Amino acid sequence: MPQEPEVRRAGPEELSQRGLIARRYYLDGRTRVQIADEFGLSRFKVARILEDAVASGMVEITVHAPESIDIDLSRALKDEFGLRMAFAVRTASDGQDELWDAVGRVTADLLSEIVTPADVLGVDCGRTLSRMTTHLDAVAECDVVQLTGMAGAVGATSAELVRRITELGGGQAWSMYAPLVVADSRTCAALRSSRGIQETLRHHASVTKAVVSIGAWQPGLSQVYDLLTPSEASSWTDKGVVAESCALLLDADGHRVSGLDDRRMGVSEDALRGIPDVIAIAAGEAKLAAVRSVLKSGLVSSLIIDARTAAGLVRLHH
């Protein structure tokens, strides 16, 4: 049998040089060309020595993931659903309040990072979005457009969120002082004909980035559901509704369930699909099926969600 070649042991001089070169490169920030000049070596020899430093264990490279984001799970979400961006947010506990806060904080950080003065930002309503504004300490001076009518607690409506963001950034606000869902089509048509609301609706076509919430079709998990009478909400359940975003109703396969459009005050489906980047946010495993529906619909391009729900989405997709 042929003998395996004996592994050569590096001597003290070679080890010393390897350590010095590794220190110059990894700690002192010198380039391979600078190191080659200093030690009288070719840059290819320097590259080989650096590879040996890692292979031998002399140099250990550790990548520290962001404390609040699960990088591997985020990448899996992005790849599985073909998203532009995806963030699976870690939390210390599964308490709903902490989930809202953690997802809201990451959303605020992302908007501070990606929104520019050239953008027009569209804003939906929701509890997680409300938390987002409490963490938002900087945003570009861009116009902000209200995508949906008002729902939720006083001080947490979409109009209030638009006011907070423009107050911080200094851009112009385009608001829509009307309920998210109104009693009948006649009232909806009258509201839509008012000059202020018409101007806001026209600005939906100018939105370049939007942040929207995802509602699950259950009491307490959808502001649209909670605005309807129990019998109305139940009738939509019978029609297959499992989710909504911007009060656009969806079934489990992400298909639109029509019938509420003549009573909803908000961005049209075509206008929402025309926005280059729509970031959806959700918090809590109770919204898993709803998030899956919204992702199937193609209405959104990016997602921020808690890590436990993200793991459930990836498992279901396989």
Side-chain angles (χ1 to χ4, degrees):
M1 282 182 67
Q3 293 183 337
E4 291 187 8
E6 190 177 330
V7 178
R8 186 182 67 82
R9 239 176 111 183
E13 175 63 22
E14 184 178 341
L15 288 172
S16 178
Q17 184 187 62
R18 185 186 295 172
L20 283 170
I21 287 174
R23 182 179 292 276
R24 291 286 191 274
Y25 185 75
Y26 290 106
L27 298 182
D28 299 340
R30 295 174 70 82
T31 67
R32 294 178 184 184
V33 172
Q34 290 172 326
I35 295 168
D37 290 343
E38 179 182 349
F39 287 86
L41 304 169
S42 72
R43 59 188 177 90
F44 303 105
K45 176 68 172 175
V46 170
R48 214 159 37 243
I49 289 171
L50 290 171
E51 288 174 3
D52 290 342
V54 174
S56 67
M58 178 179 283
V59 171
E60 293 183 352
I61 300 174
T62 302
V63 177
H64 293 283
E67 184 181 349
S68 61
I69 297 171
D70 187 318
I71 290 180
D72 292 334
L73 196 48
S74 298
R75 184 54 189 256
L77 270 180
K78 182 180 177 184
D79 292 345
E80 295 284 350
F81 293 97
L83 296 166
R84 180 172 296 170
M85 296 180 290
F87 302 97
V89 183
R90 292 194 187 103
T91 55
S93 77
D94 295 325
Q96 188 60 62
D97 197 68
E98 182 166 350
L99 294 175
W100 286 331
D101 200 63
V103 173
R105 182 172 61 250
V106 170
T107 306
D109 291 344
L110 181 65
L111 293 186
S112 294
E113 178 184 7
I114 67 171
V115 174
T116 72
D119 282 314
V120 176
L121 178 64
V123 179
D124 188 16
C125 56
R127 284 167 293 200
T128 312
L129 275 170
S130 182
R131 290 298 181 90
M132 179 268 292
T133 61
T134 67
H135 292 289
L136 195 65
D137 52 22
V139 69
E141 186 179 347
C142 65
D143 287 354
V144 184
V145 182
Q146 187 178 334
L147 292 178
T148 52
M150 298 184 292
V154 175
T157 64
S158 47
E160 175 63 14
L161 304 187
V162 167
R163 186 195 66 78
R164 289 184 202 167
I165 296 170
T166 51
E167 191 175 73
L168 181 65
Q172 184 168 352
W174 297 95
S175 301
M176 186 159 40
Y177 293 102
L180 177 58
V181 177
V182 298
D184 52 57
S185 58
R186 181 177 295 182
T187 304
C188 186
L191 287 168
R192 283 176 173 270
S193 67
S194 67
R195 181 177 176 182
I197 289 177
Q198 280 189 345
E199 287 182 350
T200 297
L201 292 173
R202 278 197 295 271
H203 275 81
H204 286 168
S206 304
V207 174
T208 56
K209 290 184 175 73
V211 58
V212 302
S213 61
I214 294 174
W217 201 247
Q218 299 175 44
L221 296 178
S222 162
Q223 295 190 101
V224 178
Y225 188 106
D226 293 342
L227 287 170
L228 303 177
T229 65
S231 61
E232 281 182 312
S234 180
S235 71
W236 290 113
T237 303
D238 294 341
K239 293 175 184 177
V241 174
V242 301
E244 57 86 8
S245 186
C246 294
L248 298 168
L249 308 185
L250 303 167
D251 67 15
D253 293 318
H255 299 138
R256 279 289 312 282
V257 179
S258 60
L260 191 65
D261 285 349
D262 63 349
R263 292 173 53 197
R264 59 180 286 276
M265 296 296 299
V267 62
S268 69
E269 179 182 356
D270 287 344
L272 186 62
R273 291 188 184 279
I275 298 171
D277 197 5
V278 180
I279 304 159
I281 66 175
E285 283 187 285
K287 290 193 173 183
L288 195 155
V291 175
R292 192 164 180 256
S293 166
V294 170
L295 292 179
K296 283 185 171 185
S297 75
L299 289 171
V300 305
S301 57
S302 300
L303 179 68
I304 305 175
I305 195 169
D306 62 282
R308 187 180 289 271
T309 309
L313 281 170
V314 172
R315 280 196 303 271
L316 281 175
H317 198 63
H318 284 293

